[in-house]
Amino acid sequence: LTADQEGHAVALKSLIDQALKDINQLAWNLRPSVLDKFGLQVSLERYVEEIEAHHSFSVDLVVQGDAASLPPDVEITIYRLVQEAVTNVVKYAHARELGIMLVVNAAFVSVVVEDDGVGFDVGAVTRLRPGEHLGLLGMDERVSILGGTLDIESSVGGGTTIIAKVPLRDKGASDET
């Protein structure tokens, strides 16, 4: 092999390794086994511990209400929303502190993810071409599927707050409105 060929082979191996790592992460995210084993609250606690161990900001997690009573589809939606919001903080916010609050009552579940980072112009980001802000779009779609709402409050230099609210139906209620 020439030096150029060897360099290309090393680069290809690196790309393949990264692709496999990404595929494993995607598969794990489909239904994190930690949700099945421990439920939403403990899963979030473990996720927060992992984030704090690998990043230079502190995370404050507050859970109010009975998170164990949530339906599986709501658990997955909330967990993934928190993951995506935290991923955005890691990538873009340059935050020192991050707060996550989960509130569960009989009528709804809400989650608030708030950081003290650099913030952004929400209007400018939402006007980008589809595909350029998949994380925000994905969060909105996940919450909308369950009949909920997603609000994003941010300003340049003012941090970001993401608020999701998902209604909870009575177990005996019909899906019809």
Side-chain angles (χ1 to χ4, degrees), residues 81 85 111-114 136 139 150-152 160-164:
L81 183 135
V111 64
V112 178
V113 180
E114 185 173 31
L136 296 177
M139 285 190 283
L150 181 77
D151 293 306
I152 302 168
T160 300
T161 303
I162 294 174
I163 305 161

Side-chain angles (χ1 to χ4, degrees), residues 35 38-46 61 63 65 67-68 75 102:
L35 280 176
F38 303 108
L40 182 59
Q41 182 168 345
V42 173
S43 297
L44 288 174
E45 289 167 355
R46 288 182 173 210
L61 173 66
V63 178
E75 275 189 334
L102 176 69

Side-chain angles (χ1 to χ4, degrees), residues 29-170:
N29 285 339
L30 289 175
R31 172 65 188 187
S33 61
V34 70
L35 280 176
D36 292 326
K37 290 179 187 172
F38 303 108
L40 182 59
Q41 182 168 345
V42 173
S43 297
L44 288 174
E45 289 167 355
R46 288 182 173 210
Y47 181 64
V48 163
E49 288 171 7
E50 184 179 319
I51 292 302
E52 286 186 316
H54 293 96
H55 300 284
S56 61
F57 53 85
S58 66
V59 183
D60 183 28
L61 173 66
V62 175
V63 178
Q64 294 179 349
D66 182 14
S69 68
L70 295 174
D73 58 341
V74 175
E75 275 189 334
I76 294 169
T77 295
I78 297 301
Y79 189 77
R80 290 206 187 137
L81 183 135
V82 169
Q83 281 184 314
E84 184 59 42
V86 171
T87 296
N88 287 343
V89 171
V90 169
K91 285 183 178 178
Y92 308 114
H94 307 291
R96 292 179 312 278
E97 295 182 5
L98 172 67
I100 302 168
M101 181 174 211
L102 176 69
V103 177
V104 181
N105 65 32
F108 66 88
V109 57
S110 66
V111 64
V112 178
V113 180
E114 185 173 31
D115 70 69
D116 67 349
V118 297
F120 63 98
D121 181 337
V122 177
V125 170
T126 56
R127 285 190 299 271
L128 294 174
R129 290 190 309 274
E132 293 184 1
H133 55 96
L134 288 176
L136 296 177
L137 184 63
M139 285 190 283
D140 188 48
E141 286 180 354
R142 287 181 193 282
V143 172
S144 293
I145 286 170
L146 297 177
T149 58
L150 181 77
D151 293 306
I152 302 168
E153 300 171 0
S154 188
S155 60
V156 176
T160 300
T161 303
I162 294 174
I163 305 161
K165 188 172 182 179
V166 176
L168 297 175
R169 296 192 173 125
D170 293 333

Side-chain angles (χ1 to χ4, degrees), residues 1-9:
L1 290 178
T2 67
D4 279 351
Q5 290 172 326
E6 198 168 308
H8 288 298

